Amino acid sequence: MLLTGVQAQYADHIIPGAAQTSRYLPLLKNKRVALLVNQTAMIDRTHLVDSLLKLNVRIQKIFSPEHGFRGNADAGEKVGNSTDPKTGLPIISLYGKHRKATAADLQDVDILIFDIQDVGTRFYTYISSLQELMESAAASNKTLLILDRPNPNGDYVDGPVLDTAYRSFVGMQPIPIVHGMTVAEYARMLNGERWLSKGVQCNIKYIPCENYSHKVYYRLPVKPSPNLPNMAAIHLYPSLCFFEGTAVSLGRGTDKPFQVFGAPGFPKNGYSFTPRSTAGAKDPVLKDQLCYGFDLSNTPEAAPGKDRQIVLRWLIEAYHLYPEKDKFFNPFFNKLAGNATLMQQIKTGVSESDIRKSWEPGLAKFKVIRAKYLLY
């Protein structure tokens, strides 16, 4: 399924790590293998698991992240263990209460593989799953092979750096919302800054992408999760995910998730939509309620381009338009923001430019750290 969206200039001929099988098959020879993967772990049109089985790689089991192995579960939905009907392999969910692979899970494994398409934001939970897999691998003295993939939001760095008092699964490290790194680069940072639990080190190996740099734009061939169906949603996601911490709908349960926002109490002369129960959004915010708001799917910010940044004016405007100000934010907002400051800035009317200025010292420090671990 090719992801389409707004027209933009995307780089061709980028080769993800998974497609370079000749570079990593020697590492898997005569090894018992487990993979943390989802529906994005593709080599052209074939799933990595199927490709490796055809190459006689001995796969013991599959670990699955948020949204499950096939990528069709709701955000936050509990996904249990199961068996893959196509291969008969056991699938162990690493989301929910059992987030970390245990020593028992890894007892019959020699090497782990991580291959998941990330979208480059702190609150997209696949980098949290990566960290916890690294910690599990280190505890059991296993090697972790990372098959790197481009970051579709990897051309810029922006947002507040997380205050570690607000650590959660949607923000585990002191990084900005848009970190500008691939998963292999991020894994190098986790090791290098000794950010893993108790400062442990994971033995990582990685296969970098070919023909990729942070200055090019990458069109994802498969949607990374149910509610990021196209490139417009992926590019708007860093700005619109803030609405997950509010009473406003961001389009879950419509055909434009993460491309619209609105609420029943907004002015009725704008764009309108009604969230419904859908696959990947079974119980969306404001379900079955007519919402009025804004369609951003064709705005300049929905396409890649120079000088990209997180857009705050939509969140600020939504707060101003919302009739019951004391009910606009919910407790999840501070976890997404990574601090308690942003909510207070919006409540007290701080301008977008002044909010952005407050991020600059943290961003400057982070960029110095980030530079040590870049591969592209």
Side-chain angles (χ1 to χ4, degrees), residues 166-177:
Y166 290 87
R167 286 187 198 271
S168 72
F169 200 59
V170 294
M172 296 179 74
Q173 297 300 343
I175 64 173
I177 286 171

Side-chain angles (χ1 to χ4, degrees), residues 36-56:
L36 177 52
V37 288
N38 64 4
Q39 79 287 349
T40 64
M42 301 293 286
I43 302 176
D44 294 325
R45 297 186 179 185
T46 304
H47 196 280
L48 176 65
V49 168
D50 300 322
S51 297
L52 294 184
L53 288 173
K54 289 178 183 176
L55 293 167
N56 299 313

Side-chain angles (χ1 to χ4, degrees), residues 141-363:
N141 198 28
K142 309 292 184 183
T143 296
L144 174 60
L145 172 63
I146 299 170
L147 304 179
D148 210 13
R149 291 182 179 271
N151 177 353
N153 288 310
D155 55 301
Y156 70 113
V157 175
D158 200 19
V161 170
L162 178 129
D163 175 348
T164 53
Y166 290 87
R167 286 187 198 271
S168 72
F169 200 59
V170 294
M172 296 179 74
Q173 297 300 343
I175 64 173
I177 286 171
V178 181
H179 51 72
M181 305 180 83
T182 67
V183 291
E185 291 172 329
Y186 186 67
R188 282 160 48 85
M189 179 185 283
L190 290 174
N191 261 348
E193 298 302 305
R194 294 194 172 272
W195 282 347
L196 298 179
S197 178
K198 300 177 182 177
V200 298
Q201 297 280 284
C202 177
N203 180 23
I204 59 170
K205 297 183 183 299
Y206 50 86
I207 306 299
C209 307
E210 289 188 358
N211 307 322
Y212 173 68
S213 84
H214 287 291
K215 295 180 181 179
V216 303
Y217 305 119
Y218 176 66
R219 184 187 296 279
L220 272 60
V222 178
K223 62 182 180 180
S225 52
N227 289 287
L228 293 180
N230 54 39
M231 294 310 301
I234 289 165
H235 292 311
L236 291 166
Y237 177 74
S239 301
L240 293 193
C241 194
F242 285 124
F243 286 109
E244 299 273 48
T246 74
V248 173
S249 168
L250 47 68
R252 289 184 185 271
T254 75
D255 60 354
K256 291 186 176 182
F258 288 98
Q259 298 158 80
V260 302
F261 69 91
F266 280 6
K268 295 179 170 50
N269 57 351
Y271 176 78
S272 63
F273 62 92
T274 303
R276 306 288 190 191
S277 180
T278 61
K282 295 183 180 66
D283 190 24
V285 170
L286 301 175
K287 176 183 171 184
D288 297 330
Q289 297 183 52
L290 178 60
C291 297
Y292 301 92
F294 303 85
D295 179 1
L296 308 174
S297 59
N298 289 305
T299 59
E301 294 87 355
K306 291 182 179 180
D307 303 320
R308 285 213 289 160
Q309 60 183 23
I310 287 173
V311 179
L312 285 175
R313 68 177 183 274
W314 300 322
L315 180 66
I316 292 170
E317 184 168 6
Y319 178 73
H320 287 156
L321 292 174
Y322 199 75
E324 299 175 277
K325 299 285 187 289
D326 59 330
K327 296 180 180 179
F328 182 80
F329 292 105
N330 64 50
F332 190 50
F333 184 86
N334 287 347
K335 290 184 178 181
L336 291 170
N339 59 52
T341 308
L342 181 58
M343 182 192 294
Q344 288 307 119
Q345 289 172 321
I346 292 171
K347 284 182 174 180
T348 55
V350 178
S351 69
E352 178 168 6
S353 61
D354 284 344
I355 292 173
R356 296 190 60 80
K357 285 177 185 175
S358 72
W359 298 346
E360 288 175 4
L363 285 171

Side-chain angles (χ1 to χ4, degrees), residues 3-16:
L3 278 184
T4 58
V6 292
Q7 295 298 313
Q9 295 298 312
Y10 292 95
D12 295 325
H13 311 304
I14 294 172
I15 305 173

